[in-house]
């Protein structure tokens, strides 16, 4: 049997042995969530488990860690696996025995699952290495602050986690996809996501005399309705550009024109080239829309993350790993999302791909991420670990392990 075949044949049994521990780690992280750049305990829990396996994790400058597994192969870069580890500032409403013990903080995006998956893949690969079955080097990246803007990936990359890496992969929990399936696609799988703040100001006045002042409320209404339409005509509609307002604030009296107003929202785009132009188009559009209304304007545009643009070759390798683990029927085409993911920054440095990991119980309720009541089918943890470990190993014979 080839090296890949022998390793793949051993992999399923190793992950099956690890699964109870991985579920326990996930539940521990879920019960003790930490928001962006405060993941001190989370980092320590993961580092301790990796050290117990004889590995040598390196804690990053703030939080998070990186850990190499397997040999350094001359002329061959490592295969990186990335997990994000921060939680959201939301109340946990899952009703689980291991619900969050931290008021107002919850793992409502599945990052606890991601961490357990990459931990499992790393521990399995370490076991294969100890048994002389691993002939490729892997790198585990446990990244902090994905939920912040512009995200912790910048800081992690600056600390050299991609040095000597040839390709990178990640999974993201998908509660609308049944456990036992993964979703992939070539090209943009998520959207660019930017923060936009528009502030208007004037001298204010009485609502009976709007002609004597700049009416910031009326002008703000024009910004809210017209600027998204302008973007739809100034940028290629195939780019999926979308400007949606999430907060509008101005005034507190029915008969007074206020002196200031603000609108805050997100600008999203599926195409990198359109995203690069969108900021200037946005700024010009706001100024042109408010020009007739005698108000002062400032536009604050924070570039967040580009789209996660899956590399064709890495996606094919990830799909091959999925087919080997789950069968051909277990790999499905996933839709594009206008959600943002800072995994995108890694893909500006090395080829990579992200897959959606099914976490829904077949026939059960469909949940959504960023909601406090999110519940995942924990069988996804073992599946994700096998998927990413198999991705590292490379193409080989298919496995035949039923969904437990």
């Amino acid at each position: 049997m080839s090296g890949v075949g022998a390793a793949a044949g051993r992999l399923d049994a190793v992950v099956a042995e690890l699964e109870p521990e991985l579920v326990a780690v996930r539940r521990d992280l879920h019960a003790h969530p930490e928001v962006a750049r405060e993941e001190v305990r989370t980092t320590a829990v993961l580092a301790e488990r990796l050290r117990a396996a004889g590995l040598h994790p390196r804690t990053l400058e703030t939080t998070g860690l990186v850990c190499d597994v397997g040999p350094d192969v001359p002329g061959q870069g490592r295969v990186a696996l990335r997990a994000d580890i921060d939680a959201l500032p939301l109340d946990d409403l899952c009703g689980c025995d291991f619900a969050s013990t931290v008021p107002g903080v919850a793992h409502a995006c599945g990052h606890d699952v991601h961490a357990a998956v990459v931990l499992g893949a790393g521990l399995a690969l370490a076991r294969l290495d100890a048994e002389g079955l691993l002939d490729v080097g892997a790198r585990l990246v446990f990244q902090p602050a994905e939920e912040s803007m512009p995200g912790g990936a910048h800081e992690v990359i600056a600390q050299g986690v991609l040095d000597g890496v040839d390709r990178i992969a990640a999974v993201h929990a998908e509660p609308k996809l049944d456990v036992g399936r993964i979703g992939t696609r070539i090209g943009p799988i998520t959207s660019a996501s930017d923060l936009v703040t528009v502030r208007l100001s004037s001298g204010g006045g009485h609502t009976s005399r709007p002609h004597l002042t700049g009416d910031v409320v009326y002008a703000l209404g024009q910004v809210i309705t017209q600027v998204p339409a302008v973007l739809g005509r100034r940028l290629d509609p195939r780019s999926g550009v979308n400007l949606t307002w999430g907060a509008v604030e101005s005034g507190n009296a029915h008969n007074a024109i206020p002196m200031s107003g603000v609108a805050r929202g997100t600008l999203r785009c599926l195409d990198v080239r359109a995203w690069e132009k969108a900021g200037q188009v946005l700024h010009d559009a706001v100024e042109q829309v408010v020009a007739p209304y005698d108000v002062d304007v400032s536009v604050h545009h924070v570039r967040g993350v580009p789209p996660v643009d899956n590399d064709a070759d890495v996606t094919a390798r990830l799909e091959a790993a999925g087919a080997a683990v789950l069968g051909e029927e277990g790999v499905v085409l996933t839709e594009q999302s206008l959600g943002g993911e800072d995994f995108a920054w890694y893909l500006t440095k090395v080829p990579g791909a992200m897959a959606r990991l099914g976490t829904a119980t077949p026939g059960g309720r469909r949940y959504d991420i960023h909601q406090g009541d999110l519940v995942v089918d924990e069988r996804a943890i073992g599946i994700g670990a096998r998927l990413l470990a198999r991705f590292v190993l490379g193409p080989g014979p298919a496995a035949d392990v039923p969904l437990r």
Side-chain angles (χ1 to χ4, degrees):
M1 183 178 291
S2 69
V4 173
R10 179 77 177 110
L11 175 64
D12 296 312
V14 171
V15 174
E17 181 182 334
L18 289 169
E19 273 191 74
E21 179 185 358
L22 300 178
V23 170
V25 169
R26 181 258 165 167
R27 293 183 177 188
D28 179 50
L29 298 182
H30 191 95
H32 302 92
E34 297 168 304
V35 295
R37 298 184 176 85
E38 296 180 10
E39 311 94 331
V40 176
R41 183 186 183 279
T42 302
T43 299
V45 167
L46 295 168
E48 180 181 1
R49 183 59 192 88
L50 291 167
R51 291 190 189 101
L55 299 171
H56 304 284
R58 173 172 63 90
T59 301
L60 299 173
E61 288 177 2
T62 53
T63 51
L65 64 152
V66 61
C67 183
D68 284 351
V69 182
D72 284 314
V73 181
Q76 178 178 293
R78 288 185 176 270
V79 182
L81 305 176
R82 176 269 202 172
D84 37 15
I85 61 174
D86 55 324
L88 285 162
L90 295 174
D91 288 327
D92 193 339
L93 306 174
C94 72
C96 304
D97 293 341
F98 50 90
S100 172
T101 59
V102 184
V105 184
H107 271 295
C109 195
H111 294 189
D112 51 341
V113 173
H114 305 166
V117 163
V118 171
L119 175 66
L123 294 178
L125 291 169
R127 185 83 61 84
L128 296 180
D129 186 40
E131 296 174 6
L133 297 174
L134 187 64
D135 56 6
V136 60
R139 177 167 297 162
L140 316 178
V141 179
F142 295 93
Q143 178 211 304
E146 191 278 329
E147 296 291 357
S148 66
M149 189 71 79
H154 273 306
E155 302 159 23
V156 168
I157 293 170
Q159 293 175 62
V161 302
L162 292 181
D163 294 349
V165 167
D166 274 353
R167 63 184 71 89
I168 188 170
V171 296
H172 197 295
E174 177 49 81
K176 296 181 180 179
L177 185 66
D178 281 349
V179 68
R181 290 189 169 188
I182 63 165
T184 64
R185 73 179 302 120
I186 294 170
I189 190 173
T190 69
S191 170
S193 179
D194 298 351
L195 301 183
V196 175
T197 302
V198 177
R199 295 184 183 276
L200 304 183
S201 60
S202 76
H206 199 288
T207 56
S208 67
R209 295 182 288 275
H211 59 293
L212 298 181
T213 188
D215 188 342
V216 297
V217 174
Y218 190 86
L220 204 57
Q222 304 309 303
V223 169
I224 292 166
T225 57
Q226 291 188 39
V227 172
V230 173
L231 291 175
R233 290 298 179 270
R234 295 283 303 279
L235 296 169
D236 190 333
R238 294 172 298 180
S239 68
V241 65
N242 177 273
L243 174 60
T244 298
W245 306 105
V248 181
E249 304 165 13
S250 185
N252 53 24
H254 68 280
N255 60 351
I257 296 173
M259 297 177 66
S260 64
V262 61
R264 299 182 181 88
T266 56
L267 176 65
R268 302 176 186 273
C269 187
L270 291 167
D271 181 79
V272 172
R273 288 169 296 180
W275 179 61
E276 291 170 347
K277 299 176 183 177
Q280 188 60 52
V281 174
L282 167 73
H283 191 278
D284 292 345
V286 172
E287 290 196 337
Q288 292 162 10
V289 164
V290 304
Y293 303 112
D294 192 26
V295 296
D296 294 322
V297 58
S298 70
V299 180
H300 187 52
H301 172 219
V302 178
R303 286 169 64 86
V305 295
V308 172
D309 195 354
N310 280 350
D311 176 81
D313 290 339
V314 179
T315 301
R317 180 175 174 135
L318 197 54
E319 290 174 345
V325 170
L326 299 169
E328 295 288 345
E329 70 283 355
V331 182
V332 300
L333 179 67
T334 189
E335 62 186 10
Q336 292 176 307
S337 167
L338 287 182
E341 232 296 349
D342 79 351
F343 181 68
W345 290 118
Y346 298 94
L347 307 193
T348 67
K349 305 295 183 181
V350 296
M354 170 175 279
R356 302 198 184 281
L357 177 68
T359 62
T361 299
R365 175 184 163 186
R366 289 297 193 257
Y367 295 88
D368 201 358
I369 56 174
H370 286 226
Q371 300 296 312
D373 63 350
L374 174 67
V375 174
V376 305
D377 189 319
E378 292 180 321
R379 292 177 292 179
I381 296 171
I383 291 170
R386 289 165 58 208
L387 170 72
L388 291 184
R390 188 60 184 268
F391 170 79
V392 171
L393 296 179
D400 185 22
V401 175
L403 179 64
R404 288 178 291 278

Coordinates of all heavy atoms in Angstrom, one line a residue, residues 138-213:
A138 N 2.5 19.6 8.1 CA 1.4 20.4 8.3 C 1.6 21.6 9.3 O 2.6 21.5 10.0 CB 0.2 19.6 8.8
R139 N 0.8 22.6 9.2 CA 0.9 23.7 10.2 C -0.5 24.0 10.6 O -1.4 24.3 9.8 CB 1.6 24.9 9.6 CG 1.6 26.1 10.5 CD 2.6 27.2 10.0 NE 4.0 26.7 10.0 CZ 4.9 27.2 9.3 NH1 4.7 28.3 8.6 NH2 6.2 26.7 9.3
L140 N -0.7 24.0 11.9 CA -2.0 24.3 12.5 C -2.0 25.8 12.9 O -1.0 26.3 13.6 CB -2.3 23.5 13.8 CG -2.0 22.0 13.6 CD1 -2.2 21.3 15.0 CD2 -2.7 21.4 12.5
V141 N -3.0 26.6 12.5 CA -3.0 28.0 12.8 C -4.4 28.2 13.5 O -5.4 28.1 13.0 CB -3.0 28.9 11.5 CG1 -3.1 30.3 11.9 CG2 -1.7 28.6 10.7
F142 N -4.3 28.6 14.8 CA -5.4 28.9 15.6 C -5.5 30.4 15.8 O -4.7 31.0 16.6 CB -5.4 28.2 17.0 CG -5.4 26.7 16.9 CD1 -4.3 26.0 16.8 CD2 -6.6 26.1 16.9 CE1 -4.3 24.6 16.7 CE2 -6.7 24.7 16.8 CZ -5.5 23.9 16.7
Q143 N -6.3 31.1 15.0 CA -6.3 32.5 14.8 C -7.3 33.3 15.7 O -8.4 32.9 15.8 CB -6.6 32.9 13.4 CG -6.6 34.4 13.1 CD -7.6 34.7 12.0 OE1 -7.5 34.2 10.9 NE2 -8.5 35.6 12.3
P144 N -6.8 34.3 16.4 CA -7.7 35.1 17.2 C -8.5 36.1 16.3 O -8.1 36.4 15.2 CB -6.8 35.8 18.2 CG -5.5 36.0 17.4 CD -5.4 34.8 16.5
A145 N -9.5 36.7 16.9 CA -10.1 38.0 16.4 C -10.7 37.9 15.0 O -10.6 38.9 14.3 CB -9.1 39.1 16.5
E146 N -11.2 36.8 14.6 CA -11.9 36.8 13.2 C -13.1 37.7 13.2 O -13.4 38.3 12.1 CB -12.2 35.4 12.9 CG -12.6 35.2 11.4 CD -14.1 35.6 11.1 OE1 -14.9 35.4 12.0 OE2 -14.4 36.1 10.0
E147 N -13.8 37.8 14.3 CA -15.0 38.6 14.3 C -14.8 40.1 14.4 O -15.8 40.9 14.4 CB -15.9 38.1 15.5 CG -16.4 36.7 15.4 CD -17.4 36.4 14.2 OE1 -17.8 37.4 13.6 OE2 -17.8 35.3 14.0
S148 N -13.6 40.6 14.6 CA -13.3 42.0 14.6 C -13.1 42.5 13.2 O -13.0 41.7 12.3 CB -12.1 42.3 15.5 OG -10.9 41.7 14.9
M149 N -13.0 43.8 13.1 CA -12.8 44.4 11.8 C -11.5 45.2 11.8 O -11.4 46.1 12.7 CB -14.0 45.3 11.4 CG -13.9 45.8 10.0 SD -14.2 44.5 8.7 CE -16.0 44.3 8.8
P150 N -10.5 45.0 11.0 CA -10.5 44.1 9.8 C -10.1 42.6 10.1 O -9.9 41.9 9.1 CB -9.5 44.8 8.9 CG -8.5 45.3 9.8 CD -9.3 45.8 11.0
G151 N -10.0 42.2 11.3 CA -9.8 40.8 11.6 C -8.3 40.5 12.0 O -7.4 41.2 11.7
G152 N -8.2 39.4 12.7 CA -6.9 39.0 13.3 C -5.9 38.4 12.3 O -4.8 38.2 12.6
A153 N -6.4 38.0 11.1 CA -5.6 37.4 10.1 C -4.4 38.2 9.8 O -3.3 37.7 9.6 CB -6.4 37.0 8.9
H154 N -4.5 39.5 9.6 CA -3.4 40.4 9.3 C -2.3 40.3 10.4 O -1.1 40.1 10.0 CB -3.9 41.9 9.4 CG -4.4 42.4 8.1 ND1 -3.7 42.3 6.9 CD2 -5.6 43.0 7.8 CE1 -4.5 42.8 5.9 NE2 -5.6 43.2 6.4
E155 N -2.6 40.3 11.6 CA -1.6 40.2 12.7 C -0.9 38.8 12.7 O 0.3 38.7 12.9 CB -2.3 40.4 14.0 CG -3.0 41.7 14.1 CD -4.1 41.7 15.2 OE1 -4.0 40.9 16.2 OE2 -5.0 42.6 15.2
V156 N -1.7 37.8 12.4 CA -1.2 36.4 12.4 C -0.2 36.3 11.2 O 0.9 35.7 11.3 CB -2.3 35.4 12.3 CG1 -1.8 34.0 12.0 CG2 -3.1 35.4 13.6
I157 N -0.6 36.8 10.0 CA 0.3 36.7 8.9 C 1.6 37.4 9.1 O 2.7 37.0 8.7 CB -0.5 37.2 7.6 CG1 -1.6 36.2 7.3 CG2 0.5 37.3 6.4 CD1 -2.6 36.7 6.2
A158 N 1.5 38.6 9.7 CA 2.6 39.4 10.0 C 3.6 38.7 10.9 O 4.8 39.1 10.9 CB 2.2 40.8 10.6
Q159 N 3.2 37.7 11.7 CA 4.0 37.0 12.6 C 4.6 35.7 11.9 O 5.2 34.9 12.6 CB 3.3 36.6 13.8 CG 2.9 37.8 14.7 CD 2.0 37.5 15.9 OE1 2.5 36.7 16.7 NE2 0.8 38.0 15.9
G160 N 4.4 35.6 10.6 CA 5.1 34.6 9.8 C 4.5 33.2 9.8 O 5.2 32.3 9.4
V161 N 3.2 33.1 10.1 CA 2.6 31.8 10.1 C 2.5 31.2 8.7 O 2.3 30.0 8.6 CB 1.2 31.8 10.7 CG1 1.3 32.4 12.2 CG2 0.2 32.6 9.9
L162 N 2.6 32.0 7.6 CA 2.6 31.4 6.3 C 4.0 31.2 5.7 O 4.1 30.7 4.6 CB 1.8 32.4 5.4 CG 0.3 32.4 5.7 CD1 -0.4 33.4 4.7 CD2 -0.4 31.1 5.6
D163 N 5.0 31.5 6.4 CA 6.3 31.3 5.9 C 6.5 29.8 5.7 O 6.3 29.0 6.6 CB 7.4 31.8 6.9 CG 7.4 33.3 7.1 OD1 6.7 34.0 6.3 OD2 8.0 33.8 8.0
G164 N 6.9 29.4 4.5 CA 7.1 28.0 4.2 C 5.9 27.2 4.0 O 5.9 26.0 3.9
V165 N 4.7 27.9 3.8 CA 3.5 27.2 3.5 C 3.1 27.2 2.0 O 3.3 28.3 1.4 CB 2.3 27.9 4.3 CG1 1.0 27.4 3.8 CG2 2.5 27.6 5.8
D166 N 2.7 26.1 1.5 CA 2.4 26.0 0.1 C 0.9 26.2 -0.2 O 0.5 26.7 -1.3 CB 2.8 24.6 -0.5 CG 4.2 24.6 -0.9 OD1 4.9 25.6 -1.0 OD2 4.7 23.4 -1.3
R167 N 0.1 25.8 0.7 CA -1.4 25.9 0.6 C -2.0 25.9 1.9 O -1.4 25.5 2.9 CB -1.9 24.8 -0.3 CG -1.7 23.4 0.3 CD -2.2 22.3 -0.7 NE -1.3 22.2 -1.8 CZ -0.3 21.4 -1.8 NH1 0.0 20.6 -0.8 NH2 0.5 21.3 -2.9
I168 N -3.3 26.4 2.0 CA -4.0 26.5 3.2 C -5.5 26.1 3.0 O -6.0 26.4 2.0 CB -3.8 27.9 3.8 CG1 -4.4 27.9 5.3 CG2 -4.5 28.9 2.9 CD1 -4.0 29.2 6.0
A169 N -6.1 25.5 4.1 CA -7.5 25.2 4.0 C -8.2 25.5 5.3 O -7.5 25.5 6.4 CB -7.7 23.7 3.6
A170 N -9.5 25.6 5.3 CA -10.3 25.8 6.5 C -11.7 25.3 6.2 O -12.1 25.1 5.1 CB -10.3 27.3 6.9
V171 N -12.4 25.1 7.3 CA -13.8 24.8 7.2 C -14.6 25.9 8.0 O -14.1 26.5 8.9 CB -14.2 23.4 7.8 CG1 -13.5 22.3 6.9 CG2 -13.8 23.3 9.2
H172 N -15.9 26.0 7.6 CA -16.7 26.9 8.4 C -18.0 26.2 8.7 O -18.6 25.6 7.8 CB -17.0 28.2 7.6 CG -17.6 29.3 8.5 ND1 -18.8 29.2 9.1 CD2 -17.1 30.5 8.9 CE1 -19.0 30.3 9.9 NE2 -18.0 31.1 9.7
A173 N -18.5 26.2 9.9 CA -19.7 25.5 10.3 C -20.9 26.1 9.4 O -21.0 27.3 9.3 CB -20.0 25.7 11.8
E174 N -21.7 25.2 8.9 CA -22.8 25.5 8.1 C -24.1 24.8 8.6 O -24.3 23.7 8.3 CB -22.6 25.2 6.6 CG -23.8 25.5 5.7 CD -24.3 26.9 5.9 OE1 -23.7 27.8 5.3 OE2 -25.3 27.0 6.6
P175 N -24.9 25.5 9.5 CA -26.0 24.9 10.1 C -27.2 24.7 9.2 O -28.2 24.2 9.6 CB -26.4 25.9 11.2 CG -25.9 27.2 10.7 CD -24.6 26.9 9.9
K176 N -27.1 25.1 7.9 CA -28.2 24.8 6.9 C -27.8 23.6 6.0 O -28.6 23.3 5.1 CB -28.4 26.1 6.1 CG -28.9 27.3 6.9 CD -29.2 28.5 6.1 CE -29.7 29.6 6.9 NZ -29.9 30.9 6.1
L177 N -26.7 23.0 6.3 CA -26.3 21.8 5.5 C -26.2 20.6 6.5 O -25.6 20.7 7.6 CB -24.9 22.1 4.9 CG -24.3 21.1 4.0 CD1 -25.1 21.0 2.7 CD2 -22.9 21.5 3.6
D178 N -26.7 19.5 6.0 CA -26.7 18.3 6.9 C -25.3 17.8 7.3 O -24.4 17.9 6.5 CB -27.5 17.2 6.2 CG -29.0 17.3 6.3 OD1 -29.5 18.2 7.0 OD2 -29.7 16.5 5.6
V179 N -25.2 17.4 8.5 CA -24.0 16.7 8.9 C -23.7 15.5 8.0 O -24.6 14.8 7.6 CB -24.0 16.3 10.4 CG1 -25.0 15.2 10.6 CG2 -22.6 15.9 10.9
G180 N -22.4 15.4 7.6 CA -22.1 14.3 6.7 C -22.0 14.9 5.3 O -21.7 14.1 4.3
R181 N -22.1 16.2 5.1 CA -21.9 16.8 3.8 C -21.0 18.0 4.0 O -20.9 18.7 5.1 CB -23.2 17.3 3.2 CG -24.0 16.1 2.7 CD -25.2 16.6 1.9 NE -25.9 15.5 1.2 CZ -26.9 15.7 0.3 NH1 -27.3 16.9 0.0 NH2 -27.4 14.7 -0.2
I182 N -20.2 18.3 2.9 CA -19.5 19.6 2.9 C -19.9 20.3 1.6 O -20.3 19.7 0.6 CB -17.9 19.4 2.9 CG1 -17.5 18.6 1.7 CG2 -17.5 18.7 4.2 CD1 -16.0 18.6 1.4
G183 N -19.8 21.6 1.7 CA -20.1 22.5 0.5 C -18.9 23.2 0.0 O -18.1 23.8 0.8
T184 N -18.6 23.2 -1.3 CA -17.4 23.8 -1.8 C -17.9 24.6 -3.1 O -18.9 24.4 -3.7 CB -16.3 22.8 -2.2 OG1 -16.8 21.9 -3.3 CG2 -15.9 22.0 -1.0
R185 N -17.0 25.4 -3.5 CA -17.1 26.1 -4.9 C -15.8 26.7 -5.2 O -15.0 27.1 -4.3 CB -18.3 27.1 -4.9 CG -18.0 28.4 -4.2 CD -19.2 29.3 -4.4 NE -19.5 29.6 -5.7 CZ -20.7 29.4 -6.3 NH1 -21.7 28.8 -5.6 NH2 -21.0 29.7 -7.6
I186 N -15.5 26.8 -6.5 CA -14.3 27.5 -7.0 C -14.6 29.0 -7.1 O -15.7 29.4 -7.5 CB -13.8 27.0 -8.3 CG1 -13.4 25.5 -8.1 CG2 -12.7 27.8 -8.9 CD1 -13.1 24.8 -9.4
G187 N -13.7 29.9 -6.7 CA -13.9 31.3 -6.8 C -14.5 31.9 -5.5 O -14.4 31.2 -4.5
P188 N -15.1 33.1 -5.6 CA -15.6 33.7 -4.4 C -16.7 32.9 -3.7 O -17.7 32.5 -4.3 CB -16.2 35.0 -4.9 CG -15.5 35.3 -6.2 CD -15.3 33.9 -6.8
I189 N -16.5 32.6 -2.4 CA -17.4 31.8 -1.6 C -18.1 32.7 -0.6 O -19.2 32.5 -0.1 CB -16.8 30.6 -1.0 CG1 -17.8 29.7 -0.3 CG2 -15.7 31.0 0.0 CD1 -17.2 28.3 0.1
T190 N -17.3 33.8 -0.2 CA -17.9 34.8 0.7 C -17.6 36.2 0.1 O -16.9 36.3 -1.0 CB -17.2 34.8 2.1 OG1 -15.9 35.2 2.0 CG2 -17.3 33.4 2.7
S191 N -18.1 37.2 0.7 CA -18.0 38.6 0.2 C -17.0 39.4 0.9 O -16.6 39.1 2.0 CB -19.4 39.2 0.4 OG -19.4 40.6 0.1
A192 N -16.5 40.4 0.2 CA -15.8 41.5 0.9 C -16.8 42.2 1.8 O -18.0 42.2 1.6 CB -15.3 42.6 -0.1
S193 N -16.3 42.7 2.9 CA -17.2 43.3 3.9 C -16.5 44.5 4.6 O -15.4 44.3 5.2 CB -17.5 42.3 5.0 OG -18.4 42.8 6.0
D194 N -17.0 45.7 4.3 CA -16.4 46.9 4.8 C -17.4 47.6 5.7 O -18.7 47.5 5.6 CB -16.1 47.9 3.6 CG -15.1 47.3 2.7 OD1 -14.5 46.3 3.0 OD2 -14.9 47.9 1.6
L195 N -16.9 48.5 6.6 CA -17.8 49.3 7.4 C -17.9 50.7 6.8 O -16.9 51.3 6.3 CB -17.2 49.4 8.8 CG -17.0 48.1 9.6 CD1 -16.4 48.5 11.0 CD2 -18.3 47.4 9.7
V196 N -19.1 51.3 6.8 CA -19.3 52.6 6.2 C -20.0 53.5 7.2 O -21.0 53.0 7.8 CB -20.2 52.5 4.9 CG1 -20.5 53.9 4.4 CG2 -19.5 51.7 3.9
T197 N -19.5 54.7 7.4 CA -20.2 55.6 8.3 C -20.3 57.0 7.5 O -19.2 57.5 7.1 CB -19.4 55.9 9.6 OG1 -19.3 54.6 10.3 CG2 -20.2 56.9 10.5
V198 N -21.5 57.5 7.4 CA -21.7 58.8 6.7 C -22.2 59.8 7.8 O -23.3 59.5 8.4 CB -22.7 58.7 5.6 CG1 -23.0 60.0 5.0 CG2 -22.1 57.7 4.5
R199 N -21.5 60.9 8.0 CA -22.0 61.9 8.9 C -22.3 63.2 8.2 O -21.5 63.7 7.4 CB -20.9 62.2 10.0 CG -20.6 61.0 10.9 CD -19.6 61.4 11.9 NE -19.2 60.2 12.7 CZ -19.9 59.8 13.8 NH1 -21.0 60.5 14.1 NH2 -19.6 58.7 14.5
L200 N -23.5 63.8 8.5 CA -23.9 65.0 7.9 C -24.1 66.0 9.0 O -24.5 65.7 10.2 CB -25.2 64.9 7.2 CG -25.2 63.8 6.1 CD1 -26.6 63.9 5.4 CD2 -24.1 64.0 5.0
S201 N -23.8 67.3 8.7 CA -24.0 68.4 9.7 C -24.4 69.7 9.1 O -24.1 69.9 7.9 CB -22.7 68.6 10.6 OG -21.6 68.9 9.7
S202 N -25.1 70.5 9.9 CA -25.5 71.8 9.4 C -25.7 72.7 10.6 O -25.5 72.3 11.8 CB -26.7 71.8 8.5 OG -27.9 71.5 9.3
G203 N -26.3 73.9 10.4 CA -26.6 74.8 11.5 C -27.8 74.4 12.3 O -28.1 74.9 13.4
G204 N -28.7 73.5 11.7 CA -29.9 73.2 12.4 C -30.9 74.3 12.2 O -30.7 75.4 11.7
G205 N -32.2 74.0 12.7 CA -33.2 75.0 12.6 C -34.6 74.5 12.9 O -34.7 73.4 13.4
H206 N -35.6 75.3 12.6 CA -37.0 75.0 12.9 C -37.6 74.2 11.7 O -37.3 74.6 10.6 CB -37.8 76.2 13.2 CG -39.1 76.0 13.9 ND1 -40.2 75.4 13.3 CD2 -39.4 76.2 15.2 CE1 -41.2 75.3 14.2 NE2 -40.7 75.8 15.4
T207 N -38.4 73.3 11.9 CA -39.0 72.5 10.8 C -39.9 73.4 10.0 O -40.3 73.0 8.9 CB -39.7 71.3 11.3 OG1 -40.7 71.7 12.2 CG2 -38.8 70.3 11.9
S208 N -40.4 74.5 10.5 CA -41.2 75.4 9.7 C -40.4 76.2 8.7 O -41.0 76.9 7.8 CB -42.0 76.4 10.6 OG -41.1 77.3 11.3
R209 N -39.1 76.2 8.8 CA -38.2 77.0 8.0 C -37.0 76.2 7.4 O -35.9 76.5 7.6 CB -37.7 78.2 8.7 CG -38.8 79.2 9.1 CD -38.2 80.4 9.9 NE -37.8 80.1 11.2 CZ -38.6 80.1 12.3 NH1 -39.9 80.3 12.2 NH2 -38.1 79.8 13.5
P210 N -37.3 75.1 6.7 CA -36.2 74.2 6.2 C -35.4 74.9 5.2 O -34.2 74.5 4.9 CB -37.0 73.0 5.6 CG -38.3 73.6 5.3 CD -38.6 74.6 6.3
H211 N -35.9 76.0 4.6 CA -35.2 76.7 3.5 C -34.0 77.5 4.1 O -33.2 78.0 3.3 CB -36.1 77.6 2.7 CG -36.8 78.6 3.5 ND1 -37.8 78.3 4.4 CD2 -36.7 80.0 3.5 CE1 -38.2 79.4 5.0 NE2 -37.6 80.4 4.4
L212 N -34.0 77.7 5.4 CA -33.0 78.6 6.0 C -31.8 77.8 6.6 O -30.9 78.4 7.2 CB -33.6 79.4 7.1 CG -34.7 80.4 6.7 CD1 -35.3 81.2 7.9 CD2 -34.2 81.3 5.6
T213 N -31.8 76.5 6.4 CA -30.7 75.7 7.0 C -30.5 74.4 6.1 O -31.3 74.1 5.2 CB -31.0 75.2 8.4 OG1 -29.8 74.6 9.0 CG2 -32.2 74.3 8.5

